[in-house]
Amino acid sequence: MNLIILGAPGAGKGTLSDLLIKELKIPKISTGDMLRKEVKENSPLGIRAKEIMATGALVSDEIINELLKNKIKQSECKNGFILDGFPRTINQAEELEKIMKELSFKLDLVINLVVSEELIIKRLTNRRVCRKCGANFNLFSAPSKEKDTCDLCAGVLYQRADDNETTIRNRLQVYMKDTQPLINYYGKKGLLRDLAAEKGISDMAEKFNKIMIENKNM
Ligand code: AMP
């Protein structure tokens, strides 16, 4: 199964895809995680991406498409994958289509997570991430048991540099301008399914499973 999880920053793309990795036993491809790894390693790409990411703008299609292409061709993706944070522009969607055609992969569904702007800001300003394993917590909806400490691996929790209110508002504007057109793009292809993602993770899982049942013949 090949899926795209679409949605504004903070809509829950990472949360849903982490759940689906376990349920569907396929890897997630998160271009944001890939970029953050490059930044952490101080690679030439990471150095370039760091500044762009800090403002909430998008890294160029050229760089992202190349990253994606290399990843999708790896053997771990041969039985399917969940795309989290890619595509973010029409150009990326078209490139994805080309790569998938080359590899004889079929895109099964695009899940569009729908959340209000108010909740997005609340979620993102309260998000904390584990420096060691990448697990996500939230000060208001899903706090760690011990302050600043990951429940899973005891790593230190930190706030992403782009999770401040100014950058969040910019990311939302970028989302509306560059990414929202994908809703229409995939809608026209008959692949888009909306999922109201304002409640917790179990509600999201339930709604996702319902979508899967309704579309089992696709
Ligand atoms: P995310 O973790 O998906 O919220 O992404 C964090 C940041 O990484 C974004 O605000 C962008 O600067 C960059 N980024 C991640 N994925 C992409 C993409 N597909 N295209 C361009 N920039 C991206």
Side-chain angles (χ1 to χ4, degrees):
M1 161 137 329
N2 302 315
L3 291 175
I4 293 175
I5 313 293
L6 206 63
K13 300 186 293 295
T15 306
L16 179 62
S17 0
D18 284 342
L19 194 89
L20 297 182
I21 295 175
K22 292 180 212 142
E23 204 165 300
L24 305 173
K25 308 223 164 16
I26 50 177
K28 110 170 154 174
I29 304 177
S30 158
T31 42
D33 285 351
M34 288 160 85
L35 290 169
R36 277 183 290 277
K37 185 168 172 278
E38 298 283 339
V39 171
K40 202 171 164 187
E41 289 168 357
N42 251 319
S43 69
L45 164 57
I47 292 167
R48 257 194 294 166
K50 189 176 178 177
E51 275 181 39
I52 301 169
M53 291 167 79
T55 67
L58 293 184
V59 173
S60 78
D61 285 342
E62 205 187 355
I63 291 178
I64 291 288
N65 287 343
E66 193 61 27
L67 269 183
L68 194 275
K69 195 169 172 178
N70 293 337
K71 183 78 179 177
I72 226 172
K73 283 184 174 170
Q74 289 175 9
S75 62
E76 61 177 303
C77 294
K78 72 175 189 306
N79 294 323
F81 48 81
I82 304 150
L83 286 172
D84 161 9
F86 183 98
R88 259 177 157 98
T89 64
I90 296 282
N91 174 290
Q92 292 179 13
E94 287 171 351
E95 185 64 20
L96 176 68
E97 215 166 296
K98 245 194 272 171
I99 301 168
M100 290 187 73
K101 200 168 171 192
E102 256 173 58
L103 298 170
S104 303
F105 287 165
K106 174 180 154 271
L107 180 59
D108 295 295
L109 278 179
V110 179
I111 308 293
N112 179 39
L113 303 183
V114 183
V115 178
S116 73
E117 188 172 323
E118 195 190 342
L119 184 57
I120 281 173
I121 291 169
K122 192 168 177 188
R123 272 188 187 168
L124 290 182
T125 47
N126 286 287
R127 174 160 67 181
R128 296 294 181 270
V129 184
C130 174
R131 226 175 250 297
K132 204 162 149 197
C133 73
N136 274 249
F137 295 87
N138 194 287
L139 296 181
F140 108 93
S141 59
S144 58
K145 289 195 188 92
E146 208 179 308
K147 192 174 177 281
D148 300 332
T149 307
C150 176
D151 289 354
L152 308 178
C153 74
V156 177
L157 303 186
Y158 78 107
Q159 183 170 28
R160 271 173 48 174
D162 56 353
D163 276 349
N164 64 78
E165 195 156 341
T166 313
T167 310
I168 292 167
R169 292 209 183 269
N170 196 24
R171 285 159 70 198
L172 284 172
Q173 273 181 10
V174 170
Y175 166 78
M176 280 183 250
K177 181 175 151 282
D178 294 324
T179 310
Q180 225 171 25
L182 291 174
I183 294 177
N184 202 17
Y185 179 88
Y186 287 118
K188 276 190 191 155
K189 291 181 187 291
L191 292 172
L192 194 87
R193 301 293 178 273
D194 282 343
L195 191 161
E198 299 234 322
K199 293 190 185 156
I201 185 164
S202 50
D203 179 73
M204 206 152 52
E206 207 175 292
K207 285 176 177 154
F208 176 82
N209 288 332
K210 196 162 164 246
I211 293 174
M212 285 295 109
I213 292 167
E214 285 165 2
N215 294 280
K216 64 177 185 292
N217 297 324
M218 278 191 81

